[in-house]
């Protein structure tokens, strides 16, 4: 069995556990969890343009992290960066439904044969007021955060379904709203 932990920035990242030293992939915002020693990340998927992030020290922080960086292209300023194999993924799936970084992570994990995933912080959950979140280094109020979740959730759900259809076992937190079992119309 080829196992993987995928960490997002939703609230359930706090439930992260890795007693078996499984490979860990994190999204952009998990860099700070790694820096603070809260999560050991092996690969950081950083698809935002570093120059567009509010924090002016983004390049410095990424370089200091010594993480393997998966980005949209190879950045000369980031020696540890490598371009995401977009063309290979597109050829493999024939689909471009990439609404956020997690979608790219799911697609690559499928392609690379990971057959058991543990998700932390991949919640796709609308906040309850006055909960706030952070996106690209900017604090978002609950309404803006809800809009972001509404825009991205269908794409993450799509790739979740692609993984499940290929036999991937996915372990998610109870907190997450991503693909919870629903039995519409009847109480089975």
């Amino acid at each position: 069995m080829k196992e993987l932990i995928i960490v997002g920035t939703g609230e359930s990242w706090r439930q992260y556990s890795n007693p078996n030293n499984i490979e860990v992939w994190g999204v952009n915002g998990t860099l700070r969890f790694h820096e603070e020693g809260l999560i050991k990340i092996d690969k950081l998927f950083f698809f935002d343009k570093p120059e567009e992030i509010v924090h002016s020290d983004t390049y410095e922080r990424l370089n200091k992290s010594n993480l393997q960086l998966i980005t949209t292209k190879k950045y000369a300023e980031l020696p540890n960066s490598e371009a995401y194999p977009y063309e290979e993924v597109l050829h493999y799936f024939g689909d471009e439904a990439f609404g956020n970084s997690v979608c790219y992570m799911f697609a690559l994990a499928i392609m690379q044969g990971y057959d058991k995933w543990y998700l932390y912080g991949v919640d796709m959950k609308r906040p309850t007021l006055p909960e706030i979140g952070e996106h690209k280094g900017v604090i978002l109020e609950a309404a803006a955060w809800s809009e972001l979740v509404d825009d991205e959730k269908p794409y993450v759900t799509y790739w979740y379904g692609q993984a499940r259809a290929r036999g991937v076992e996915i372990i998610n937190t109870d907190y997450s709203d991503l693909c919870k079992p629903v039995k519409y119309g009847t109480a089975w």
Side-chain angles (χ1 to χ4, degrees), residues 75-142:
Y75 285 89
E77 307 89 344
L78 298 170
N80 292 340
S81 69
E82 64 181 73
Y84 182 85
Y86 182 77
E87 292 301 322
E88 292 172 43
V89 171
L90 182 60
H91 178 75
Y92 185 88
F93 291 103
D95 203 335
E96 296 183 271
F98 298 105
N100 66 13
S101 299
V102 171
C103 297
Y104 288 102
M105 295 165 81
F106 282 11
L108 190 60
I110 294 167
M111 256 184 63
Q112 292 184 351
Y114 289 94
D115 53 8
K116 186 172 185 179
W117 304 352
Y118 301 86
L119 306 181
Y120 298 97
V122 183
D123 300 336
M124 305 315 301
K125 188 172 190 135
R126 298 184 91 211
T128 54
L129 294 174
E131 193 174 343
I132 58 173
E134 184 177 335
H135 181 65
K136 295 185 180 182
V138 177
I139 301 298
L140 299 178
E141 296 293 332

Side-chain angles (χ1 to χ4, degrees), residues 60-92:
E60 181 182 324
R61 290 173 57 218
L62 289 169
N63 283 324
K64 187 178 176 184
S65 74
N66 290 320
L67 290 170
Q68 182 180 2
L69 303 172
I70 309 300
T71 54
T72 55
K73 65 178 185 175
K74 171 74 174 158
Y75 285 89
E77 307 89 344
L78 298 170
N80 292 340
S81 69
E82 64 181 73
Y84 182 85
Y86 182 77
E87 292 301 322
E88 292 172 43
V89 171
L90 182 60
H91 178 75
Y92 185 88

Side-chain angles (χ1 to χ4, degrees), residues 4-20:
L4 177 66
I5 293 174
I6 296 176
V7 183
T9 56
E11 282 300 308
S12 72
W13 76 265
R14 298 173 195 284
Q15 297 175 25
Y16 168 82
S17 174
N18 190 5
N20 298 321

